[in-house]
Amino acid sequence: MESYLKENFEVEHKNPTEEALKKWRSAVWLVKNPRRRFRMVADLAKRAAAEKKRRKIQEKIRIALYVQKAALQFIDAANRTERKLSEEVVQAGYDIEPEDLAYIVRSHNNRTYEFHGGLQGLSRKIKVSLRDGVISSDIEKRQQIFGCNRFVEKPPRPVWMFVWDALQDLTLIILMVCAVISVGVGIATEGWPKGMYDGLGIILCIFLVVVVTAVSDYKQSLQFKDLDKEKKNIIIQVTRDGTRKKVSIYDLVVGDIVHLSIGDQVPADGIFIDGYSLSIDESSLSGESEPVNIDKKRPFLLSGTKVQDGSGKMLVTSVGMKTEWGRLMVTLSEGGDDETPLQVKLNGVATIIGKIGLAFAVLTFLVLTARFIIMKIVRNEMGKWYMSDGLELLNYFAIAVTILVVAVPEGLPLAVTLSLAFAMKKLMNDRALVRHLSACETMGSATCICTDKTGTLTTNHMVVTRLWVAGESREIRTKDLKSSIPEKVLSVLLQSVFLNTNSEIVKDENGKTNIIGSPTETALLEFGLLFQSSYNADSKGVRILKVEPFNSVKKKMSVLVALPGGKLRAFCKGASEIILKICDKIVNEDGEIVELSEKQRKTITDVINGFACEALRTICLAFKDLEKESISNDNIPESNYTIIAVVGIKDPVRPGVKEAVKTCLDAGIMVRMVTGDNINTAKAIARECGILTADGLAIEGPDFREKSLEQLKDIIPKLQVMARSLPLDKHKLVTLLRNEFKEVVAVTGDGTNDAPALHEADIGLAMGIAGTEVAKENADIVIMDDNFRTIVYVARWGRSVYINIQKFVQFQLTVNVVALMTNFVSACTAGSAPLTAVQLLWVNMIMDTLGALALATEPPHDGLMKRPPIGRDVNFITKIMWRNIIGQSIYQLIVLGILQFDGKRLLNLHGSNSTAILNTLIFNTFVFCQVFNEINSRDMEKINVLRGIFDSWVFMIVMICTVTFQIIIVELLGTFASTVPLSKNLWSASVLMGAISLPVGAILKFIPVESSTQPGAVKQHDGYEPLPRGPDMA
């Protein structure tokens, strides 16, 4: 079975090839209900058509941007007349039609832009202040006139559509036809109402199956809809009512002033107001990879594009479906998401079992029919055929079709969807947003987590606690701090803090001072505010000429300013060692600028290392005075700076991180810290978290890059910390771990430059708070609270999903084997099937929809994180599962066989209805065997299967509902289900024979089973082998 599955039903969990997707689709055979089975599977034909449509739109946009634009320059915009304003627009108080406003940005036509008065003219026409932004009371009015920032989406499917899908099951349709014929023939032969009971029973049972299935599928679809909405929700920084605030992308309106920085997605079409070095990647819209520089000469910003560099502010001119991105978004959702490896594998399992089931169904029908004909020949009745004979043959056919219903486990692939939907919803509550379903599965196999330090292992609440300035190291808590720093030094220090920043000090509605920006910037500005309550560059006559924002490659930020009197000054701050290298002067104790001696350089290096060893993040501040003639094109110099100060920023380790790291190590998951910080800071934090051990290795990015492949193969198994790393180092590490060491790698990232590593990793984890939109778009899971503990929750749920599906498969295969063998053997020997069509349909619902609900939604327990990761290529149906399936099947077949062939004698059943009582008892015993086997399946290896049973409320509800409805079927619905009421003794016997499954399961678990082991450096397993324990393995 496993070799067949690997050959035909194997797909990559990330970016599977078109060929692999087509291959498994062609291998699937005997699908009862394609509409339902493939509901969560990508429609390749639709996807190809959508891709073609998307490319057409992109080409159209590209022509509009790069070709038509040139032609439009020759159009005389002076001759252009404004469209007559509609009454609705006039009453709202605006002076421009929404279509005209949208056309300006969409056409990229400067002449049209100037015709409307440029930026100032447009802001007047849409009644907005470029300084204070939109007034909150106007938002509803703006949405009515200019539209909402939402794209046209397919409306959610109503519940009746899911009922219709469930009714598309071919076997159920055949059974309904049989039932209708049965009702007609039954009334003709047995009269009204007795003749309709059999057929009506099948119809009622089909109705119940369809309703339960449809409601379950409908609830799943709502969960996915909510998660999809959450995925697309981006938080935007805007200026409204004169204050800067965060709003959802869905709440953005025309006239909003939006703040953009590196890695942001442009949330709507708009016009550039001001900014520095703003560079936009328009490839998502136009397909052109060359970034576009945005300035006042080229001020048009398109929705859906990404900020590649710089920062700026924009005025929103069109939203939602009035943007090109809105039109493009409609095509992006066509075709659906890729199916997960488990869904594909279980489609393969369903195909194999379906083939076996079809063979048994055909054989059963042939055996029953052959016996019937032989009996007619023996009685010399071949020439005489009655309506009752036709009804008997129809009943045989219905039983064969029902065996097929039970035998084809349509619920297997759908159980994966159910389990993933449940896990995704729970993870959302645990602050993890799963963007790709397959990542939830793959996380269960993760053998290594490459994590950032700042914000993930630490709290990201930063405070400056140490300062080295004017040759002295100081504690920030010191009361006389301000008086201890020379005035000249303090002046240039505060200039450096307040001018060289991309954060902003704002007042909220209550007049309280807030800082909007990154945690590092916030810490520096809070430090500056200790000395000066406010700092307004404009009031001091300082003009900012150019800004080079911080990026993870240069590890520094620079700004060029014009001081009063025409003097130019450059400020630079960043990673201490890097800034120190570009400095050749220092501000001494008297505030004088002097040459930086080697002794002073060594002293500063010792200060930096000292701060770092205290687990402080160190930032160096420097400046350089310039003459206008000494610079060209306002370029910020890269050398000959004067060092002002070194600050030490405390970023405490998050509570619970040490325990979370220990949980990972217990679970066989190696945790590696990859950070851009100083190596001493990184080592101190890594030791505190329990990542860096005595025999572990810490290395710097530049050293890592210089190593050969052979050297890296020796180093990487011991590598626990990489400091001063570039995004390319992270990408290289991830690639080596996956390709050379065959590890399943999860990697965290927050910056735009982390996108390649997030894309390369088996599981890309983007940070929800610190992460850019580019990082989130390339990630599989977004960690909403940036907390390492949340990553561990994802790993637990990943393992839980995999093992829950294994539990369900074990349970369903046992039911399949027993149901098939019981009916087939009985048909061959007795000439009748003990389980009727109605009874088999009920059993099918127990093992399909209800079984999936009970077992596939079990919450994870702590024991899951005390096992090694699930291997990348292990057999899905393990030897342990086969042991349990075969053992339980043998027990159930023996019990049912004894009842079938010797039940009347053993139970002392006499009278005309003894056969009906025995068949009811067999049915009841069979159902209770499945109920207790479902409990058995809760843990495939541990004897105590009742542990945590009351924590799983879904499981308990399913169990109660199953037992309650079984009682109703036996005691009250006998007319339709071919059952008769049972005595207390027979009820007790049924329950007892079912309950014996529990001790049988416990005995089976004592039978030793060889665990499959995988080759490779990392020890992996089939999901159950316990990790080594004890001091020798510490």
Side-chain angles (χ1 to χ4, degrees), residues 21-36:
L21 295 176
K22 285 178 179 173
K23 187 176 181 181
W24 84 259
R25 281 165 174 74
S26 62
V28 169
W29 189 76
L30 194 66
V31 179
K32 294 189 296 183
N33 188 346
R35 278 178 74 115
R36 183 167 182 257

Side-chain angles (χ1 to χ4, degrees), residues 1-7 345 874-878 882:
M1 184 191 270
E2 287 295 338
S3 58
Y4 175 78
L5 290 175
K6 279 176 184 172
E7 187 184 338
K345 198 165 272 189
V874 295
N875 294 343
F876 178 73
I877 302 179
T878 64
W882 281 123

Side-chain angles (χ1 to χ4, degrees), residues 10 177 421 536 566 590 788 815 985:
E10 196 79 44
V177 172
N536 190 324
D590 304 318
F788 186 80
V815 184
N985 290 340

Side-chain angles (χ1 to χ4, degrees), residues 809-833:
V809 169
Q810 177 185 295
F811 168 68
Q812 194 164 55
L813 288 184
T814 308
V815 184
N816 272 353
V817 170
V818 178
L820 287 177
M821 292 304 295
T822 301
N823 268 19
F824 178 68
V825 171
S826 181
C828 292
T829 55
S832 65

Side-chain angles (χ1 to χ4, degrees), residues 535-548:
Y535 191 95
N536 190 324
D538 295 336
S539 67
K540 294 183 181 289
V542 178
R543 275 187 312 112
I544 294 173
L545 303 176
K546 186 176 175 70
V547 175
E548 282 182 5

Side-chain angles (χ1 to χ4, degrees), residues 123-170:
S123 65
R124 282 195 298 274
K125 287 185 176 185
I126 59 174
K127 308 297 184 228
V128 70
S129 159
L130 293 174
R131 187 170 65 88
D132 296 334
V134 168
I135 299 164
S136 293
S137 56
D138 284 353
I139 288 171
E140 197 175 329
K141 183 171 70 174
R142 289 177 185 274
Q143 286 177 335
Q144 286 171 356
I145 301 298
F146 298 106
C148 297
N149 199 28
R150 291 176 184 270
F151 308 123
V152 171
E153 291 181 359
K154 288 180 184 173
R157 298 175 79 213
V159 71
W160 68 263
M161 284 289 287
F162 289 95
V163 171
W164 177 247
D165 281 356
L167 281 168
Q168 301 305 301
D169 190 312
L170 181 62

